[in-house]
Amino acid sequence: MISLSEGAVKRVKEFIAEQSQSYSGIRVSVEAAGCSGFQYGFTFDEETNEDDTTMTKNGVSLLIDSMSYQYL
């Protein structure tokens, strides 16, 4: 199960409020990193893609593409 803590939700809301553009949510991704296995990352994204799994907590959305979802 993937979830966001209350502290993470609070900090994300603060960050988004400070920005001049609006975001759909936080995109979590998993990418191949050669010999070291996988690289995990996150970015703030303006769009939700058709194949995304979306989880929302207190107004903050977590966006995960279908390929990354299978590794999380």
Side-chain angles (χ1 to χ4, degrees), residues 12 15 26-30 39-45 62-63:
V12 168
F15 177 83
I26 306 170
R27 178 165 302 283
V28 178
S29 61
V30 179
Q39 179 176 335
Y40 302 88
F42 75 91
T43 58
F44 291 89
D45 204 333
L62 186 64
L63 311 171

Side-chain angles (χ1 to χ4, degrees), residues 34-69:
C35 297
S36 61
F38 294 107
Q39 179 176 335
Y40 302 88
F42 75 91
T43 58
F44 291 89
D45 204 333
E46 297 175 10
E47 298 180 15
T48 301
N49 298 324
E50 189 175 301
D51 71 331
D52 286 343
T53 297
T54 304
M55 298 170 204
T56 304
K57 182 173 183 176
N58 295 336
V60 173
S61 294
L62 186 64
L63 311 171
I64 307 167
D65 66 86
S66 61
M67 186 63 100
S68 296
Y69 188 81

Side-chain angles (χ1 to χ4, degrees), residues 7-19:
V9 168
K10 179 181 176 188
R11 181 61 189 121
V12 168
K13 284 183 175 183
E14 290 170 356
F15 177 83
I16 290 174
E18 295 169 359
Q19 304 306 306

